[in-house]
Amino acid sequence: MEPLSPEEIERYKRHILLPEIGGVGQQRLKAARVLVIGAGGLGAPVLLYLAAAGVGTLGLIDDDVVSLSNLQRQVIHDSGTIGELKTESARNTIARLNPHVRILAYEDRFSAVWADTHLKGFDLIIDGSDNFDTRYAAADAAESARRPLVTGAVGRFDGSVTVLKPYETGPDGRLLPGYRDLFPAPPPQGLIPNCAETGIVGALTGVIGTIMAMEAVKAITGAGEPLIGRLLLYDALAARFETVRYKRRREGTTA
């Protein structure tokens, strides 16, 4: 792994002091290539915290532009970037935060076709999208490419996070669960309204997005126990976290 420069050692010394991360873990962060799907409510805190943590290469895919209504929760953007591509706005913010981070921006919508071309170039995928089509496409593509996936979702006052590595086996020798073991099929079109129709509290996306970033740091450095086979649920109104365990339900064997 590439050594840390004196400036990087100073920048990340609070990480380096942690035995669970240390210098080796920080070098792993520097070497990591992470793709973030979406630069919206969830993607914004994910990108900010991973950039601050020293992830060496951040890929970002989003085909939207910044609007005024985004700014209540998408904190990587600001009033001066309204009308800009979200990828460009996010790129500029990250460059100001940490010039050591390389940004690969894709002004596109995530799809199976896009994934076939680009996903192999990343070590870890983080899905911060806001629609079921993208969530299922991301989960299927990450499983096919044998890449770990951190995925999160938010409602009006609630959210969830889990980590997926369905191409690996657990201690019992069985394949670990995938997204479709947790959610076998997307709900019917229009059954679950989006935040533009029902609203969402902005700080909630910060809570869930920051947890997603933490899971990514753990996955890269090897610190702690990732949320594999566990769905973390957050109820903001009750200030309560709960964890639901889930297992593989599909038939299958390792490749």
Side-chain angles (χ1 to χ4, degrees), residues 67-244:
S67 67
L68 181 60
S69 64
N70 296 152
L71 303 185
Q72 165 252 16
R73 62 201 178 282
Q74 300 180 18
V75 293
I76 202 166
H77 313 298
D78 59 54
S79 298
T81 65
I82 292 172
E84 286 186 16
L85 288 165
K86 287 185 179 179
T87 49
E88 190 62 24
S89 172
R91 182 206 293 271
N92 291 333
T93 300
I94 292 168
R96 292 191 296 271
L97 176 62
N98 190 347
H100 298 286
V101 178
R102 178 189 181 205
I103 297 294
L104 303 176
Y106 305 94
E107 290 79 39
D108 207 341
R109 181 172 287 270
F110 187 90
S111 66
V113 173
W114 187 92
D116 283 343
T117 303
H118 297 91
L119 221 56
K120 292 288 187 181
F122 295 94
D123 310 311
L124 174 70
I125 316 302
I126 302 179
D127 180 16
S129 63
D130 61 358
N131 65 88
F132 287 101
D133 288 344
T134 303
R135 289 174 192 161
Y136 279 85
D140 291 344
E143 180 172 359
S144 178
R146 301 175 69 85
R147 295 294 188 271
L149 173 69
V150 179
T151 183
V154 288
R156 295 168 62 246
F157 290 97
D158 61 274
S160 63
V161 183
T162 193
V163 178
L164 303 165
K165 297 179 78 173
Y167 48 86
E168 291 187 357
T169 56
D172 60 0
R174 297 181 59 189
L175 283 170
L176 295 170
Y179 193 75
R180 291 178 185 271
D181 296 302
L182 185 59
F183 304 110
Q189 193 73 24
L191 179 64
I192 299 179
N194 58 39
C195 68
E197 300 170 314
T198 64
I200 186 170
V201 65
L204 171 67
T205 61
V207 174
I208 300 302
T210 303
I211 293 172
M212 294 168 71
M214 184 68 235
E215 288 300 304
V217 169
K218 287 162 58 181
I220 294 165
T221 63
E225 181 184 353
L227 283 169
I228 296 174
R230 295 184 294 150
L231 180 68
L232 183 67
L233 303 171
Y234 175 59
D235 179 340
L237 292 178
R240 182 172 58 235
F241 285 94
E242 296 180 1
T243 303
V244 176

